[in-house]
Amino acid sequence: MNIPIEYWLHHAVFYALLFLIQYLNGLLVIYRDLKVNYTRKINHFAFFFLPVFLLSVIEYSYNAATFFMDMVCVFIFLACFITPVRNRIKPLFIMFRSFDRPEDRPLTLTWLYTQFIASYAVLIPLLMYFESHDMLPLIMVIIIANGVGDGLAEPIGIRYGKRKYTTYALFTRKKYVRSYIGSACVFLTTLIAIAAFQQHFTFAQFIVALLTLPILITLAEAFSPHTWDSPLIYGVGGITMIGISFLG
């Protein structure tokens, strides 16, 4: 596989920083009683945006091989937190506490693994289609909607969300709660992302995107299973974007 040395250096720094952030967050949960709902989202933002920031320092060429290796690295990373490993290595146990919401137990890792698998299963064909049709920058609208909008939804919903609704989860009959203000974060973030990438739309595409994408992505997040919103956001957003592209 054609993987440049810069890729390995970039990812070594990224995972070192990610481990450090999760370790510190785990300490805050254990010793300062900080809500794991907050530390989990700090992890979320670190996972999404640290690689982007590091690219400005350690740049490498992105290709199919590096994308495949990204998937491998993610699943190796998650494997560090399976019960036999984290119970024997205290730092990993502390890191695990930074994203192990009590209401998710004992399905925390199951949902993370299956969400990543489903997300990649949706993203790979979308990336291939967008690249082959010269619209790859527009994939960032969907990624920002998920990375920023969904990332803000939970902590803002916990802090300010008075009006709530319930959603279901995979592999359990337990109901979970989301807030309307959290869903509004997804809507506004998608709107801003579309505006930020306006130059990649025709005028007609831009107007239709503004009218359809924010509400459809918000509904995808709202009706997706608990912790499983990413693949739904990618799928609904990607298919909608493809439909918009036919407007010419």
Side-chain angles (χ1 to χ4, degrees), residues 6-63:
E6 292 83 1
Y7 171 88
W8 297 112
L9 179 59
H10 174 280
H11 277 52
V13 175
F14 165 59
Y15 278 103
L17 290 173
L18 189 62
F19 268 73
L20 177 61
I21 290 168
Q22 291 197 353
Y23 181 78
L24 294 175
N25 281 336
L27 291 176
L28 289 173
V29 170
I30 295 169
Y31 297 109
R32 291 289 182 260
D33 202 29
L34 184 64
K35 281 183 175 291
V36 70
N37 308 77
Y38 296 139
T39 57
R40 183 183 174 99
K41 291 305 177 180
I42 295 172
N43 296 343
H44 172 95
F45 284 120
F47 187 85
F48 266 91
F49 295 112
L50 269 180
V52 178
F53 295 145
L54 285 173
L55 275 175
S56 63
V57 181
I58 309 169
E59 189 175 357
Y60 65 89
S61 56
Y62 203 74
N63 54 43

Side-chain angles (χ1 to χ4, degrees), residues 7-201:
Y7 171 88
W8 297 112
L9 179 59
H10 174 280
H11 277 52
V13 175
F14 165 59
Y15 278 103
L17 290 173
L18 189 62
F19 268 73
L20 177 61
I21 290 168
Q22 291 197 353
Y23 181 78
L24 294 175
N25 281 336
L27 291 176
L28 289 173
V29 170
I30 295 169
Y31 297 109
R32 291 289 182 260
D33 202 29
L34 184 64
K35 281 183 175 291
V36 70
N37 308 77
Y38 296 139
T39 57
R40 183 183 174 99
K41 291 305 177 180
I42 295 172
N43 296 343
H44 172 95
F45 284 120
F47 187 85
F48 266 91
F49 295 112
L50 269 180
V52 178
F53 295 145
L54 285 173
L55 275 175
S56 63
V57 181
I58 309 169
E59 189 175 357
Y60 65 89
S61 56
Y62 203 74
N63 54 43
T66 59
F67 183 81
F68 172 78
M69 190 53 62
D70 282 347
M71 291 190 291
V72 173
C73 289
V74 167
F75 290 115
I76 292 174
F77 176 72
L78 289 177
C80 292
F81 302 107
I82 61 174
T83 304
V85 177
R86 70 174 187 264
N87 284 350
R88 287 174 172 81
I89 304 175
K90 188 174 181 179
L92 293 177
F93 175 80
I94 293 172
M95 291 169 62
F96 182 69
R97 289 292 303 275
S98 73
F99 61 87
D100 180 33
R101 290 180 295 209
E103 63 267 28
D104 290 356
R105 298 169 188 164
L107 295 168
T108 301
L109 284 180
T110 300
W111 284 333
L112 282 175
Y113 264 112
T114 55
Q115 178 177 222
F116 272 112
I117 291 169
S119 295
Y120 279 120
V122 173
L123 268 180
I124 290 171
L126 283 178
L127 286 167
M128 293 171 63
Y129 182 92
F130 277 47
E131 185 172 22
S132 65
H133 289 76
D134 197 28
M135 50 188 289
L136 191 59
L138 291 177
I139 200 76
M140 287 305 300
V141 173
I142 310 165
I143 291 174
I144 291 170
N146 182 60
V148 179
D150 182 53
L152 291 173
E154 183 177 4
I156 288 179
I158 289 172
R159 181 66 180 85
Y160 301 105
K162 295 181 180 178
R163 298 185 63 191
K164 301 181 184 295
Y165 60 94
T166 58
T167 187
Y168 66 101
L170 300 178
F171 319 122
T172 179
R173 293 183 178 180
K174 186 177 178 180
K175 294 290 185 179
Y176 291 85
V177 174
R178 288 182 177 144
S179 69
Y180 287 101
I181 194 171
S183 294
C185 290
V186 178
F187 183 91
L188 289 174
T189 302
T190 308
L191 206 64
I192 293 168
I194 294 167
F197 286 84
Q198 178 182 355
Q199 69 271 26
H200 297 285
F201 294 100

